[in-house]
Amino acid sequence: MSVLVNKDSKVIVQGFTGSEGSFHAHQMIEYGTDVVGGVTPGKGGTYHLDLPVFNTVEEAVTKTGADVSIIFVPPAFAADAIMEAAQAGIKVIVCITEGIPVKDMVAAKHYIKDRNVTLIGPNCPGVITPGEAKVGIMPGFVFKSGRIGIVSKSGTLTYEAADQIVKAGLGISTAIGIGGDPIIGTPTKEAVEMLMNDPETDAIVMIGEIGGNYEAVASKYIRETGNQKPVVGFIAGQTAPAGRRMGHAGAIVGGADDTAAAKMKIMRESGIHVVESPAEIGDAMVKALQEAGINA
Amino acid sequence: MNIHEYQAKDILKSYGVRIQEGIVADTPEEAVAAAKRLTEETGTSWHVIKAQIHAGGRGKGGGVKLAKNLKQVKEIADQILGMTLVTHQTGPEGKLVGKVLVAQDVYYPGDSEPKEFYLSILLDRAKGQNVIMASTEGGMDIEEVAEKSPEKIIKEWIDPAVGLEPFQARKIAFAFGLEGEAFKEMVKFVTNLYKAYLDTDSSMFEINPVLKTSDNKILAVDAKVDLDDNALFRHKDLAALRDISEEDPLEVEASKSNLNYVKLDGNVGCMVNGAGLAMATMDIIKLSGGEPANFLDVGGGANAQTVEAGFRLILQDPNVKAILINIFGGIVRCDRVANGVVEAYKNIGDIRVPIIVRLQGTNAEEGARIIDESGLKVFSAISLKEAADKVKQVLA
């Protein structure tokens, strides 16, 4: 089954005709994702990459039956694009855009709250179910199909983890890049929960970073639901000084609880296999699977 | 983006938030003139001279002083201007003071005792809503209050759809134990403060202390405002408040090349694509026996120009004994990055520290071959483990 996206997902691209949107739409199509069209207000009725362009998401959904959207709209208009997709009945929205004002995201998050929609991101690499659908900007060849789920705040660190998993002779069910912004649609716990409930996922890699309490909340969930599947965890930013923002808008140590050390401690106490070094993710997963007697 | 107290107070005042009035000065003479004008405008006889730097704890560091006459205004301004102020937030190297705020004395005696409170507005990330935090322990660090007497902090979450409701402002004023004129003033203060926060796209307001004066006025004695960098594109006036002298010169240079750089104190420089992997690379350096000299995210397109700009930044730091470049080439190919590294190296010429280049992803072997055959003092690695081992070797 995998989660969020699969071979049946019909994907539209918001910001389709822009340079980022065009480039990555092309990459997604090459990967085999069922991209059914795109939205660029004012360019409706035209064709781009041999696919129809629509003025509104609503029209795109009506005409194509799209259920997934990926957003490459510039930061000033991205929150609006999220709300438009939710209003049009899209079920999974993946927002790649980096640099959306926090105030806009507060509004967007509130707007989509009671609608039947899952938002991934913003400021994320997207979601990939290897061999079925890539709805994101990740290099597809790194991700080989298998039974390990990945949840990560970071882009390239997700690729790093996937690469190690694959080189360890394993594969990936679905990798979810949840995003590095202060406000994101699907926090760590919700993403981990999806993979815990996925019959095609045997174990999970959970990668976090400094700032916020998402990893702590996820750890509590994992412990309280009885550690159903092995989880290997890593927190980036053990050497980050307090009060300084490390690239991602959300990556800042504000208090004692959101340091890497504090998060790793909570994760360990919750039965997660925490690695100190990001180079050990693959080995730790092999070991965790052996301990649990899983042949993934 | 952080701004100075005097700039923050200007913003608050424009939203009808009462402030401790003041005039900014660059020289002791200007400070005296400012003090005279303040006395005319507000009737204050004493003045407070406050160092303007982007860091808290100025009072304890000797950057805030009371002057009881114009002679003292001049003496104190002379003393504070040009001093290197060290507080718990500046780090041991401190910050050079270039401006002082000459402010009115608001703790004058009167019918009732002056009383200090604490107010801040920030984003509650978990709830995705703004929250107003209020405490009767004005003047104290909120972290300390949270630790010792958390019951003294009240929080009001703001519904994004309807905004701050009047009852919420009243709840805060009641919690402060205010009545009569002071109560009304506090409700107005909180209401206007939240409006200012929203309109300016701020990510944090901290007013500590908020003062009830002896004649029942409510005003901001200090103001810390942090603006959302991502929203500055729609606030040209606020973007102009940036004070580059408050920032690390290397970080300013980096931002010109669209590089995301944070200067640190270690001995191993690093250059990485992606913020998460950059932090993870810093951690690898530490685990290999070094200390990271910087955070540097070169973003998605790691080409010869960005790599060269990155090299030049890192090499300006005299503490750097080795450099680790860690690029996960996905969309960008490793052979192109490798060529970029070699080209940048040759352009710079005199690089005296060993460089480890770890390229993984598309065409990783080809990238490693280019590095190895370049004849330069550069070591290639493909896996992260290999990179960590090579850092260990060059530091040994």
Side-chain angles (χ1 to χ4, degrees):
Chain A
M1 252 305 288
S2 64
V3 300
L4 292 167
V5 298
N6 57 42
K7 61 182 182 339
D8 299 322
S9 301
K10 286 184 191 307
V11 183
I12 54 160
V13 180
Q14 287 175 261
F16 189 31
T17 56
S19 64
E20 290 283 302
S22 294
F23 178 78
H24 290 292
H26 180 72
Q27 298 272 327
M28 287 191 283
I29 294 164
E30 293 242 298
Y31 188 81
T33 308
D34 187 11
V35 179
V36 294
V39 177
T40 298
K43 291 196 178 166
T46 63
Y47 278 78
H48 184 64
L49 307 178
D50 294 330
L51 291 168
V53 183
F54 302 95
N55 282 324
T56 67
V57 180
E58 189 170 38
E59 196 188 348
V61 168
T62 310
K63 301 243 170 90
T64 66
D67 55 358
V68 174
S69 173
I70 181 164
I71 296 175
F72 292 99
V73 169
F77 316 106
D80 181 56
I82 292 170
M83 293 188 265
E84 184 184 354
Q87 194 271 339
I90 291 285
K91 295 289 170 260
V92 175
I93 304 169
V94 177
C95 185
I96 306 297
T97 309
E98 177 177 3
I100 305 177
V102 170
K103 186 163 75 179
D104 299 5
M105 273 314 299
V106 169
K109 179 135 185 175
H110 184 75
Y111 184 88
I112 65 171
K113 195 175 63 173
D114 296 323
R115 292 167 201 263
N116 183 20
V117 60
T118 302
L119 170 66
I120 303 294
N123 190 9
C124 77
V127 182
I128 183 167
T129 297
E132 298 200 27
K134 168 179 125 150
V135 184
I137 59 172
M138 62 288 278
F141 72 92
V142 177
F143 297 78
K144 297 280 185 299
S145 181
R147 303 187 60 86
I148 311 297
I150 301 178
V151 173
S152 169
K153 270 185 181 173
S154 140
T156 40
L157 199 47
T158 310
Y159 317 158
E160 179 68 48
D163 187 58
Q164 289 182 30
I165 293 294
V166 170
K167 298 241 160 85
L170 301 163
I172 289 118
S173 53
T174 300
I176 311 169
I178 61 170
D181 268 6
I183 295 191
I184 53 174
T186 303
T188 313
K189 180 236 155 191
E190 280 73 8
V192 167
E193 193 173 2
M194 286 176 201
L195 293 168
M196 281 287 183
N197 295 330
D198 173 33
E200 295 189 353
T201 298
D202 287 338
I204 299 165
V205 177
M206 179 175 124
I207 297 172
E209 56 190 39
I210 52 167
N213 68 344
Y214 289 161
E215 295 84 1
V217 174
S219 300
K220 189 163 171 265
Y221 158 80
I222 290 166
R223 192 187 64 232
E224 286 177 355
T225 49
N227 298 73
Q228 299 167 53
K229 296 175 184 177
V231 180
V232 169
F234 172 71
I235 299 290
Q238 297 165 60
T239 48
R244 300 299 307 273
R245 202 174 83 170
M246 297 286 122
H248 283 155
I252 181 165
V253 172
D257 295 337
D258 54 4
T259 62
K263 290 187 184 198
M264 288 164 113
K265 181 165 179 279
I266 293 170
M267 285 159 66
R268 264 190 213 104
E269 287 166 0
S270 303
I272 295 172
H273 305 264
V274 177
V275 292
E276 298 270 331
S277 162
E280 289 162 8
I281 294 168
D283 292 351
M285 180 53 82
V286 170
K287 203 165 147 238
L289 288 170
Q290 277 166 359
E291 273 174 26
I294 298 171
N295 188 13
Chain B
M1 184 181 90
N2 281 322
I3 58 175
H4 288 296
E5 176 195 359
Y6 74 93
Q7 297 168 322
K9 282 178 164 174
D10 281 351
I11 294 173
L12 297 190
K13 194 179 177 183
S14 72
Y15 281 89
V17 177
R18 195 193 296 275
I19 55 162
Q20 172 200 41
E21 295 288 340
I23 298 168
V24 72
D26 295 331
T27 64
E29 293 70 31
E30 274 180 41
V32 171
K36 281 182 190 162
R37 217 175 99 202
L38 266 184
T39 302
E40 281 166 27
E41 287 171 4
T42 67
T44 189
S45 48
W46 292 354
H47 298 88
V48 189
I49 315 299
K50 307 167 99 172
Q52 298 296 288
I53 57 166
H54 288 184
R58 293 170 299 165
K60 280 178 201 147
V64 179
K65 284 186 173 159
L66 181 68
K68 296 187 175 175
N69 54 52
L70 291 177
K71 184 167 164 277
Q72 286 184 359
V73 168
K74 189 161 186 213
E75 280 168 11
I76 293 169
D78 194 39
Q79 187 191 346
I80 293 179
L81 282 164
M83 83 185 279
T84 300
L85 187 54
V86 179
T87 81
H88 67 283
Q89 287 183 3
T90 59
E93 69 280 8
K95 271 188 174 169
L96 188 68
V97 182
K99 283 182 187 338
V100 290
L101 180 64
V102 181
Q104 68 176 140
D105 167 35
V106 284
Y107 291 82
Y108 47 81
D111 296 341
S112 64
E113 281 294 306
K115 197 164 175 354
E116 291 181 330
F117 306 102
Y118 172 95
L119 271 178
S120 63
I121 311 175
L122 65 158
L123 175 74
D124 181 328
R125 291 167 62 158
K127 285 195 193 320
Q129 293 181 6
N130 292 318
V131 59
I132 302 183
M133 293 211 291
S135 157
T136 50
E137 307 300 288
M140 274 176 71
D141 268 353
I142 195 69
E143 290 82 3
E144 204 181 319
V145 180
E147 201 175 300
K148 288 183 185 155
S149 40
E151 74 286 352
K152 285 184 177 159
I153 299 176
I154 56 165
K155 293 181 180 176
E156 281 296 321
W157 281 273
I158 314 300
D159 186 310
V162 295
L164 175 71
E165 283 294 311
F167 78 86
Q168 296 183 295
R170 290 199 300 273
K171 267 169 83 177
I172 291 168
F174 279 125
F176 285 162
L178 297 170
E179 51 190 32
E181 194 53 34
F183 177 88
K184 279 191 224 161
E185 277 244 346
M186 183 59 83
V187 171
K188 195 175 132 203
F189 187 94
V190 173
T191 307
N192 290 342
L193 193 69
Y194 189 71
K195 185 166 180 0
Y197 176 86
L198 267 195
D199 277 9
T200 53
D201 267 298
S202 286
S203 44
M204 212 256 309
F205 266 20
E206 187 176 49
I207 315 299
N208 190 21
V210 176
L211 182 72
K212 182 199 77 71
T213 62
S214 61
D215 52 355
N216 292 319
K217 291 191 179 84
I218 303 294
L219 51 80
V221 178
D222 195 1
K224 188 173 185 323
V225 164
D226 194 353
L227 303 166
D228 179 1
D229 294 297
N230 288 342
L232 287 174
F233 70 88
R234 59 189 176 204
H235 299 284
K236 298 279 182 272
D237 51 333
L238 298 177
L241 299 178
R242 180 175 177 195
D243 181 354
I244 288 177
S245 70
E246 284 286 329
E247 299 169 30
D248 186 287
L250 288 181
E251 291 176 21
V252 174
E253 196 184 318
S255 69
K256 282 183 198 151
S257 312
N258 275 324
L259 299 175
N260 209 329
Y261 174 89
V262 179
K263 167 100 174 64
L264 302 169
D265 300 327
N267 55 357
V268 180
C270 57
M271 181 172 1
V272 189
N273 65 336
L277 191 59
M279 279 187 273
T281 304
M282 286 159 49
D283 297 342
I284 285 262
I285 289 169
K286 171 96 175 175
L287 291 166
S288 305
E291 288 285 341
N294 65 277
F295 167 95
L296 175 56
D297 174 12
V298 298
N303 56 34
Q305 284 84 18
T306 50
V307 170
E308 185 175 334
F311 263 139
R312 289 191 187 277
L313 271 173
I314 295 172
L315 290 168
Q316 281 184 42
D317 180 349
N319 298 326
V320 168
K321 301 282 174 283
I323 300 175
L324 170 59
I325 298 180
N326 185 11
I327 304 286
F328 200 106
I331 306 299
V332 50
R333 297 187 338 243
C334 294
D335 52 323
R336 280 194 52 193
V337 177
N339 281 321
V341 170
V342 172
E343 200 185 313
Y345 194 109
K346 286 180 177 159
N347 279 346
I348 296 172
D350 188 27
I351 297 181
R352 291 168 188 200
V353 297
I355 297 173
I356 297 116
V357 183
R358 184 268 177 152
L359 299 171
Q360 175 63 289
T362 316
N363 298 354
E365 277 81 21
E366 176 69 6
R369 191 187 59 77
I370 292 168
I371 296 294
D372 290 338
E373 293 175 2
S374 67
L376 304 171
K377 202 180 170 190
V378 183
F379 307 96
S380 75
I382 292 181
S383 79
L384 208 46
K385 258 189 211 137
E386 220 181 315
D389 289 343
K390 290 203 171 154
V391 171
K392 235 180 247 171
Q393 282 168 27
V394 301
L395 287 178

